[in-house]
Structures are given as structure tokens and as C-alpha cells.
Amino acid sequence: MTILVVGATGATGRLLVKQLLDADHAVKAVVRSKDKLSDLAQEYPKLILTPGNVLEMSTIELADLLEDCEAVCSCLGHNLTWKGIFGKPRRLVTDSVKNLCTAIQHNKPSVPVKMVLMNTNGNTNRDLNENYSFKDRLVITLLRYLLPPHVDNENAADFLRTEIGQDHEYIEWTAVRPDNLIDEVEVSEYMVNPSPVRGVIFDSGKTSRINVAHFMRRLATESDIWSKWKGQMPVINNVE
């Protein structure tokens, strides 16, 4: 397969790129600088780096990039700095997803392209009656007013859920919701559920980035896993 990865130089994105390459898939990555993935590019000939910014690329440029891609994986996120949290672009994830979907629709692929979005467990799936505690709901409401990245994640998933929907001709999607992200060296046992099985702010669990990358890789490349979770917002947690 050929998969486009955006956010490829981030902590999770880089792991996803390597896992896809190790599985012998071709990977295209849009990067601000090729230097951050130059080591992988030298090791893996199937990694194609395109300098640029999805927010600034035209529909035609993105459409050309996506022409032979069967899946798109977004690991985009805001840097955890003052500028990254409160500066521009505040709609990094949402507008990037919209631009990519516009380009996919421009191509009118014969088979729907998979869109795998890395999201957050703090974002409620409004298609389900998810049982968040009062304390969790209160904090999430505060985050919605105080932290622009949280709203961006909500809006990106809502765009896929409401604008793309369940029966789009050219796009299928899944929004992966990890819990508190941690770094681990190897893939470990993890569980995936349609909704949170514990608190998302209070009594929350942990999810290693390498496990998120592993699940996203499987979603993008394995039809049985995709059939199970497409059009949903699965929650991924490490098994403790």
C-alpha cells in the first residue's frame, strides 16, 4: 500500500512511519524539513518526503500527492509550548483534515480512501451516549474554553463525523482516541473499546505512543480491523 502521513515528525508520527516502512508499505510524508526524517529516508527507499505544509498547499498539489494513496494517517498536534497552545494556527488539525478531504474528493478515487485521525480521549463521541463522570465533563468544558488545541481536536473529529459521515463516496474514516500518552520502547498489550472504560481526566489510564502507532498502522493496512472500526472513535488504552 501507499499511505500518506501528516505529522510524521512528531513523537507518534515518526513511530507510525517506521512501522509502516517495516511492514514494507510505501510512505509519503509532508514535512516542514526533510532533515528530521533524513535518517529514515536513507534507510528506507519507500519513504518519500515532500517539503511543505498541508495548510498552505493547494487542492491540486494535495490531490497530486494523494493520487496513489489508499490511506491517510494524521498524527498532527499542537506543540506543548505557549505559542503552540495559544498561537496560530489554532485550527491546525481541523483545517488540515478538511484540506486533505477536499483533495481526496477532487481525485474521485474508485475505492474510498481511509482517513485515520489521531485524536484524544477527552473528546466525546457525540454519536454515542458516553458515560463521562460529572467531574470529567466539568473539566472538559473548561478545556473547551481555555485550551484551543482541545477545541481543534473536537472540531476535526466532528467534521469527519458530521460532514463526511458514514456513507461518503470517496472517504472512510476513524478517529483514534488515546488516553494519557507515554513513551515506551516496544509495542505492548493494549485494548480498544468504542468508548472510555474508565475516567478520561480523573482515574484515567495510559497509552504508549508506540501502541497508538501500531493500532493506526493496522487500521490503515488491515481490512478486517478497518471494517470493525471505520466510522467510529475507538479508545485505546494500555493493558496495565
Side-chain angles (χ1 to χ4, degrees):
M1 294 180 62
T2 300
I3 298 103
L4 175 67
V5 179
V6 293
T9 60
T12 304
R14 184 183 176 89
L15 295 170
L16 174 60
V17 168
K18 189 174 188 308
Q19 289 189 28
L20 287 168
L21 293 168
D22 283 339
D24 203 32
H25 298 291
V27 177
K28 294 182 177 181
V30 179
V31 294
R32 290 183 179 274
S33 171
K34 290 185 176 182
D35 293 342
K36 291 185 177 181
L37 291 178
S38 60
D39 56 331
L40 289 181
Q42 292 175 6
E43 183 178 355
Y44 296 93
K46 287 190 176 182
L47 175 59
I48 302 171
L49 302 179
T50 300
N53 183 334
V54 174
L55 293 179
E56 299 171 355
M57 297 173 73
S58 69
T59 297
I60 299 300
E61 288 175 317
L62 286 174
D64 288 343
L65 188 64
L66 287 161
E67 184 65 38
D68 59 346
C69 292
E70 296 154 272
V72 177
C73 295
S74 172
C75 296
L76 288 169
H78 297 256
N79 293 327
L80 297 181
T81 62
W82 181 267
K83 181 179 179 181
I85 294 173
F86 296 104
K88 295 181 179 180
R90 289 196 170 191
R91 292 172 54 88
L92 168 67
V93 182
T94 303
D95 288 343
S96 295
V97 168
K98 286 184 175 182
N99 288 355
L100 290 164
C101 287
T102 298
I104 292 170
Q105 293 175 83
H106 176 87
N107 284 340
K108 298 180 180 179
S110 58
V111 177
V113 174
K114 301 174 183 177
M115 172 71 69
V116 185
L117 172 67
M118 181 177 170
N119 207 248
T120 172
N121 199 18
N123 180 21
T124 307
N125 183 353
R126 293 157 186 81
D127 287 335
L128 303 177
N129 184 25
E130 296 190 324
N131 186 26
Y132 285 44
S133 70
F134 173 77
K135 291 190 295 182
D136 279 344
R137 285 187 281 111
L138 178 61
V139 173
I140 289 170
T141 300
L142 292 174
L143 293 177
R144 195 170 290 135
Y145 285 99
L146 298 176
L147 290 180
H150 181 80
V151 178
D152 189 22
N153 278 317
E154 288 188 332
N155 289 339
D158 281 348
F159 169 77
L160 294 175
R161 193 175 53 81
T162 61
E163 298 296 325
I164 302 302
Q166 300 290 337
D167 300 305
H168 199 281
E169 184 176 3
Y170 303 122
I171 302 167
E172 296 176 343
W173 63 273
T174 296
V176 178
R177 294 185 287 172
D179 220 324
N180 296 315
L181 289 167
I182 60 172
D183 290 318
E184 296 288 351
V185 177
E186 297 181 352
V187 175
S188 61
E189 186 178 0
Y190 59 85
M191 58 182 178
V192 182
N193 294 283
S195 295
V197 294
R198 55 190 302 170
V200 296
I201 304 295
F202 301 94
D203 189 37
S204 59
K206 296 178 180 179
T207 312
S208 62
R209 290 181 173 86
I210 200 167
N211 283 350
V212 177
H214 185 265
F215 183 48
M216 292 181 70
R217 192 267 300 168
R218 295 194 67 195
L219 284 168
T221 62
E222 298 180 23
S223 58
D224 56 336
I225 299 296
W226 183 255
S227 296
K228 181 177 181 179
W229 294 110
K230 70 177 180 179
Q232 299 185 61
M233 298 172 58
V235 176
I236 174 173
N237 299 95
N238 287 3
V239 172
E240 298 180 1

